[in-house]
Amino acid sequence: MILAIDVGNTNIVLGSAEGLQVRGISRMATSLHRTESEYAVLIRQIFDLNGVQCRDFEGAIISSVVPPLTETIAGAVRILTGLKPLIVGAGLKTGLNICIDNPAQLGSDLVVGAVAALDKYKTPIILFDMGTATTISVIDEQARFLGGVIMPGVELSLSALVSGTSQLPKVPLDAPKRCIGRNTIESMQSGTIFGEAAMVEGMIDRIEAELGRTATVVATGGLSHRIVPHCHREITIDDDLLLRGLAILYQKNKA
């Protein structure tokens, strides 16, 4: 059994993987102020709730887009399991054909997502990861990672709208009953939810036009369930995509 941890800017997602089967997926808030021991306590509590024994792990792997936390989480894993985790980064075998200007600049989360998507879905693939940022990864018919798109996530955009204006209130991230808002709250919710859904659809159209063919569209990330149901395109939500990608990478590199 493998311990897989994905460290994001807002949440840390973790779970256990047996082969490519991921179980006990849990989230905890990302905090730069917690120590190795504090994270070890939190992770142990999560696994206790899921009935998982830390001594049962035979390996661990971490993907992180928060460099100051990478070694902290790795230290927490060592405290709990006695294992030295693999870290997704330079030197790790991925099997990806990365066709961007500087492959070393590709974020570990994008690498992990692309590896998992290629293992499960038909190419070409357009992969949305909806978290603090919304990222789009594009994989062509020859399984080449062509590049992608990075933009503010829906919560980040809404927060910027509220903080950058004098009279707009903080509103819940819920879809209104109609697109044409009849008050300030409905109007903000429409712009946030339906506006993001329209962006998703528009970007799919533009990317498919560049690819010259229809693509498989997949979405993951904590906010995908808020947005994808309001899209008119066929989009598969895959909640455990990144952890499954970590399991695949562990298998490629465990020797």
Side-chain angles (χ1 to χ4, degrees):
M1 185 167 63
I2 305 305
L3 171 56
I5 302 179
D6 177 54
V7 182
N9 289 293
T10 302
N11 290 304
I12 297 172
V13 184
L14 64 155
S16 57
E18 296 189 47
L20 299 184
Q21 184 68 40
V22 180
R23 298 186 176 90
I25 300 174
S26 302
R27 294 175 181 268
M28 57 183 173
T30 302
S31 172
L32 292 172
H33 305 295
R34 292 189 182 120
T35 64
E36 292 180 0
S37 298
E38 288 172 321
Y39 271 115
V41 169
L42 288 172
I43 294 170
R44 179 184 289 277
Q45 289 174 340
I46 288 171
F47 283 128
D48 284 346
L49 287 172
N50 292 323
V52 175
Q53 299 295 319
C54 292
R55 64 175 178 270
D56 292 337
F57 289 112
E58 63 186 63
I61 184 167
I62 298 170
S63 169
S64 174
V65 296
V66 188
L69 270 185
T70 305
E71 280 305 314
T72 301
I73 299 299
V77 170
R78 286 192 291 269
I79 290 171
L80 286 174
T81 66
L83 300 168
K84 181 180 179 181
L86 291 175
I87 308 294
V88 178
L92 210 67
K93 291 184 290 185
T94 66
L96 276 183
N97 185 4
I98 303 172
C99 299
I100 64 175
D101 293 342
N102 183 358
Q105 288 184 339
L106 189 62
S108 62
D109 56 333
L110 303 183
V111 170
V112 173
V115 167
L118 275 170
D119 182 70
K120 185 175 181 180
Y121 299 103
K122 181 181 177 182
T123 58
I125 302 167
I126 301 172
L127 172 61
F128 288 82
D129 189 345
M130 300 179 182
T132 305
T134 294
T135 62
I136 310 173
S137 299
V138 182
I139 302 166
D140 71 5
E141 195 171 4
Q142 286 75 45
R144 297 176 300 181
F145 188 101
L146 297 184
V149 179
I150 303 173
M151 64 196 78
V154 61
E155 282 187 332
L156 192 60
S157 296
L158 181 58
S159 178
L161 178 65
V162 172
S163 63
T165 55
S166 298
Q167 293 185 307
L168 294 181
K170 186 175 181 179
V171 300
L173 197 62
D174 298 322
K177 295 179 180 179
R178 47 190 161 254
C179 183
I180 303 173
R182 297 182 184 175
N183 54 60
T184 299
I185 292 177
E186 281 188 357
S187 299
M188 292 176 67
Q189 290 175 323
S190 177
T192 301
I193 300 295
F194 298 149
E196 184 81 358
M199 178 279 295
V200 168
E201 294 167 348
M203 291 303 291
I204 294 171
D205 289 341
R206 288 172 179 262
I207 292 169
E208 287 184 338
E210 289 190 21
L211 291 173
R213 59 166 298 170
T214 301
T216 305
V217 185
V218 183
T220 192
L223 294 171
S224 57
H225 287 275
R226 300 273 188 167
I227 305 302
V228 171
H230 304 288
C231 296
H232 299 139
R233 296 291 302 262
E234 182 178 348
I235 303 172
T236 300
I237 297 178
D238 192 335
D239 289 322
D240 65 351
L241 185 77
L242 293 185
L243 294 189
R244 195 169 64 252
L246 286 172
I248 293 169
L249 287 175
Y250 183 87
Q251 294 298 325
K252 288 179 179 289
N253 291 272
K254 66 179 181 179

